[in-house]
Amino acid sequence: MKIFLATNNNNKKIEIKSIFCSISNEFEIVDDYFTDIEETSDTLEGNALLKAEHGYKQSGIPTISDDTGLFVPALGNEPGVKSKRYFSETATDEENLNFLLSNLDEDSDRTAYFKTVVCFSDGKNVIFEEGKIEGQISKAPLGNNGFGYDPIFVFNGRTLAQMDSNEKNEISHRKVAFMKIAKALLR
């Protein structure tokens, strides 16, 4: 089954391909020519749908996309759907995570969760699946692996950036969501 992956994030491409390969060799993931689309929805579901439909129109083959957010209740669930653009529209990962850390007081509740929503579109059918992982926000970045907020998201005593890619993929919100969508597509 040939599926177009609607993202230009190379880290996500690697992670998603690894997840799909671990599920079935029936998938051929195509990821080489997606043109970005502005994420204008105020929900993860809406942005995933925008990207999936845009990817399908662009490629002409069934498309999957995702949108992921980090939600911190002490910050009113920010950065949430704006996780990629939390500090500014052109923010780097480092700027976003430093901005988040500066917004948390020393004694703030540091609970947080990552949520990924995956959308599949083939021009007729749309399927959504989601994955979630709960953890804490560290007081400083730790670890050299991963991307985005991984250096400050603590799960079971370590940040996601302190885990190797295999460890992270075993517990990741993205893996949960993409496994669900892959299994739905194999039915």
Side-chain angles (χ1 to χ4, degrees), residues 130-149:
E130 69 178 55
K132 185 176 176 183
I133 182 175
E134 297 186 14
Q136 302 279 323
I137 300 299
S138 65
K139 294 191 178 191
L142 299 167
N144 299 314
N145 297 322
F147 59 97
Y149 296 95

Side-chain angles (χ1 to χ4, degrees), residues 110-177:
R110 299 183 91 79
T111 60
Y113 64 92
F114 269 118
K115 180 179 174 184
T116 293
V117 175
V118 177
C119 181
F120 167 86
S121 175
D122 65 4
K124 296 177 196 158
N125 304 297
V126 173
I127 303 170
F128 290 99
E129 294 291 353
E130 69 178 55
K132 185 176 176 183
I133 182 175
E134 297 186 14
Q136 302 279 323
I137 300 299
S138 65
K139 294 191 178 191
L142 299 167
N144 299 314
N145 297 322
F147 59 97
Y149 296 95
D150 289 354
I152 61 170
F153 188 84
V154 179
F155 179 80
N156 282 348
R158 294 188 301 158
T159 68
L160 296 180
Q162 290 176 303
M163 299 177 186
D164 67 34
S165 60
N166 290 332
E167 289 176 291
K168 178 185 168 188
N169 279 347
E170 283 305 309
I171 53 96
S172 126
H173 44 84
R174 192 167 286 114
K175 179 178 183 178
V176 170

Side-chain angles (χ1 to χ4, degrees), residues 16-108:
I16 293 165
K17 283 182 172 182
S18 171
I19 292 166
F20 266 83
C21 286
S22 74
I23 295 168
S24 172
N25 60 2
E26 291 184 39
F27 295 110
E28 178 188 346
I29 305 297
V30 178
D31 69 352
D32 55 350
Y33 52 87
F34 181 65
T35 55
D36 276 327
I37 184 170
E38 188 175 352
E39 296 178 18
T40 56
S41 178
D42 60 357
T43 66
L44 298 176
E45 292 84 358
N47 284 333
L49 178 62
L50 284 169
K51 292 186 276 186
E53 289 181 338
H54 178 68
Y56 178 75
K57 287 176 188 166
Q58 183 183 341
S59 68
I61 60 175
T63 299
I64 55 172
S65 66
D66 80 305
D67 200 23
T68 297
L70 174 65
F71 296 82
V72 183
L75 298 176
N77 282 328
E78 287 185 350
V81 73
K82 300 283 186 200
S83 292
K84 185 175 158 184
R85 303 170 301 281
Y86 187 45
F87 179 72
S88 73
E89 285 297 315
T90 58
T92 64
D93 289 348
E94 186 176 3
E95 288 170 328
N96 282 327
L97 70 86
N98 285 332
F99 185 59
L100 187 147
L101 289 173
S102 72
N103 287 335
L104 280 174
D105 294 330
E106 192 65 28
D107 57 348
S108 291

